[in-house]
């Protein structure tokens, strides 16, 4: 695959911030697109594709106006089509509960799917005390989940709690998002012992039911610790037991053995449905000294599980 085949897209202020950080981690293996009504989101954007949802003299933007953001995103369909033409995978990052992310994210996802791309979205949900934003976010989430192949629900409540434990502001606690995006990009872009490709990804994301992504890291001799690292992800509540599909990439340093790959993979797949389709990839990377990183996509999750 070429870098132009993978697009990291940020929609709204939070989505653009996370997308820029994730793109820096991907070492030129993906393109970047930023979508917002606020020019502040476009600073330090390098060679990114920029879609400004409004006019330079428009002081209102799309704050708290999802229908306006959706309308403006739809108006960019011809320009977006040019950006999306070579793209096979869109990693869409957004925050829901405001105007731009709630209104434009699902419309961008729709245009991406229409162009033939797989769409994997990470959608941040508002804090528990933000009841009005939470109501707005739920509507946007439902629309995004109907369109994207995978919609990962990220809880700002859990993200903020974990950031406080590390002495950071929650806005800066985006390492998990960056790890996830980088891990998925590396999974598809680099050759390994057992290779995964977009056909494997498509086979898993097309399972009926909900889907999510996990990323975990740890020492090669501590597979349980790697699993616990993944389960600490700041996701909204979702029981992944009984998932029907699993794509799992195990990446480790030069000393990683097939036995370690097997042990880690079994740890991550034990809770799946006995008849689940499991696709395994493995790769040795020199930059992961004495570390194993696992990226797992789980699909076919029953909402009543």
């Amino acid at each position: 695959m070429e870098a132009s085949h993978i697009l990291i897209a940020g929609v709204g202020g939070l989505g653009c911030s996370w997308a820029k950080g994730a793109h820096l981690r991907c070492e030129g293996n993906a393109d970047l697109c930023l979508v917002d009504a606020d020019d502040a989101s476009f600073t330090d954007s390098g060679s990114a594709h920029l879609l400004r949802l409004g006019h330079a003299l428009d002081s209102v933007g799309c704050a708290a106006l999802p229908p306006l953001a959706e309308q403006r995103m739809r108006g960019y369909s011809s320009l977006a089509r040019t950006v999306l033409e070579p793209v096979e995978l869109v990693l869409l990052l957004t925050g829901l509960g405001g105007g731009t992310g709630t209104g434009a994210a699902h419309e961008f996802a729709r245009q991406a799917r229409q162009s033939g791309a797989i769409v994997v979205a990470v959608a941040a949900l508002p804090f528990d005390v933000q009841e009005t934003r939470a109501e707005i976010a739920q509507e946007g989430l439902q629309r995004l989940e109907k369109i994207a192949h995978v919609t990962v629900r990220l809880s700002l409540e859990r993200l903020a709690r974990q950031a406080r434990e590390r002495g950071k502001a929650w806005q800066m606690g985006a390492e998990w998002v960056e790890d996830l995006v980088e891990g998925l990009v590396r999974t598809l872009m680099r050759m390994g012992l057992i290779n995964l490709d977009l056909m494997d990804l498509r086979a898993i994301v097309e399972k009926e039911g909900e889907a999510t992504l996990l990323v975990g890291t740890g020492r090669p001799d501590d597979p349980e610790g790697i699993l616990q690292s993944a389960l600490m992800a700041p996701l909204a509540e979702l029981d992944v037991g009984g998932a029907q599909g699993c794509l799992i990439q195990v990446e480790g340093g030069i000393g990683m053995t097939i036995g370690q790959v097997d042990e880690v993979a079994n740890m991550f797949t034990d809770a799946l449905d006995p008849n689940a389709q499991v696709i395994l990839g493995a790769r040795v990377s020199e930059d992961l000294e004495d570390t194993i990183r696992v990226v797992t996509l789980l699909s076919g999750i029953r909402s009543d599980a």
Side-chain angles (χ1 to χ4, degrees):
M1 293 183 66
E2 299 178 5
S4 60
H5 293 165
I6 299 178
L7 182 68
I8 300 171
V11 181
L14 184 59
C16 287
S17 175
W18 284 351
K20 286 186 286 187
H23 184 254
L24 287 174
R25 294 269 295 271
C26 290
E27 303 175 349
N29 288 326
D31 281 352
L32 176 64
C33 180
L34 304 176
V35 181
D36 202 4
D38 185 350
D39 286 340
S41 294
F42 303 148
T43 59
D44 301 321
S45 56
S47 58
H49 303 286
L50 306 178
L51 298 180
R52 192 188 192 284
L53 301 183
H55 306 290
L57 299 179
D58 184 355
S59 60
V60 177
C62 299
L65 297 170
L68 178 60
E70 179 182 0
Q71 178 187 14
R72 289 180 173 178
M73 186 67 245
R74 194 177 295 122
Y76 271 118
S77 59
S78 59
L79 183 57
R81 193 179 306 119
T82 302
V83 174
L84 291 164
E85 185 177 1
V87 176
E88 297 184 50
L89 172 66
V90 172
L91 301 173
L92 191 159
L93 310 180
T94 192
L96 301 180
T100 303
T102 308
H106 67 85
E107 175 58 24
F108 187 90
R110 185 191 67 79
Q111 295 176 21
R113 283 205 66 165
Q114 198 170 47
S115 76
I118 298 173
V119 180
V120 175
V122 177
L125 303 178
F127 292 98
D128 294 345
V129 297
Q130 298 175 306
E131 296 182 3
T132 301
R133 290 178 67 90
E135 291 178 6
I136 296 172
Q138 279 303 313
E139 182 177 351
L141 178 64
Q142 290 174 9
R143 300 182 76 175
L144 184 58
E145 287 183 329
K146 286 181 180 179
I147 296 172
H149 291 88
V150 177
T151 302
V152 180
R153 305 178 194 176
L154 190 151
S155 166
L156 288 184
E157 199 75 36
R158 291 184 64 178
L159 183 70
R161 185 165 62 247
Q162 293 176 11
R164 284 196 300 270
E165 291 171 356
R166 297 194 300 267
K168 294 184 177 182
W170 71 265
Q171 295 94 331
M172 303 303 293
E175 291 93 342
W176 184 86
V177 178
E178 295 174 3
D179 283 346
L180 183 65
V181 172
E182 181 191 14
L184 195 52
V185 170
R186 287 166 64 117
T187 292
L188 297 170
M189 289 294 291
R190 297 189 179 182
M191 299 295 289
L193 300 172
I194 309 171
N195 292 314
L196 296 175
D197 57 27
L198 279 171
M199 293 299 292
D200 296 321
L201 180 61
R202 193 175 291 277
I204 297 300
V205 301
E206 289 181 349
K207 299 285 184 185
E208 186 175 347
E210 297 184 36
T212 195
L213 281 155
L214 297 171
V215 58
T217 58
R219 293 178 54 83
D221 59 356
D222 185 19
E224 187 170 345
I226 299 172
L227 176 61
Q228 290 305 313
S229 169
L231 295 179
M232 286 296 291
L235 304 180
E237 293 298 326
L238 181 65
D239 185 355
V240 299
Q244 300 287 315
C246 174
L247 182 143
I248 180 168
Q249 170 76 29
V250 182
E251 185 176 11
I254 294 176
M256 184 179 69
T257 66
I258 294 297
Q260 289 171 336
V261 171
D262 188 52
E263 189 175 7
V264 171
N266 287 338
M267 186 70 68
F268 274 74
T269 56
D270 276 349
L272 304 184
D273 184 281
N275 299 314
Q277 179 183 9
V278 178
I279 300 178
L280 172 66
R283 179 175 53 250
V284 171
S285 296
E286 294 183 5
D287 58 332
L288 290 178
E289 184 178 354
D290 201 30
T291 299
I292 283 182
R293 173 167 55 190
V294 180
V295 177
T296 306
L297 191 156
L298 297 167
S299 65
I301 302 169
R302 303 180 185 90
S303 57
D304 59 347

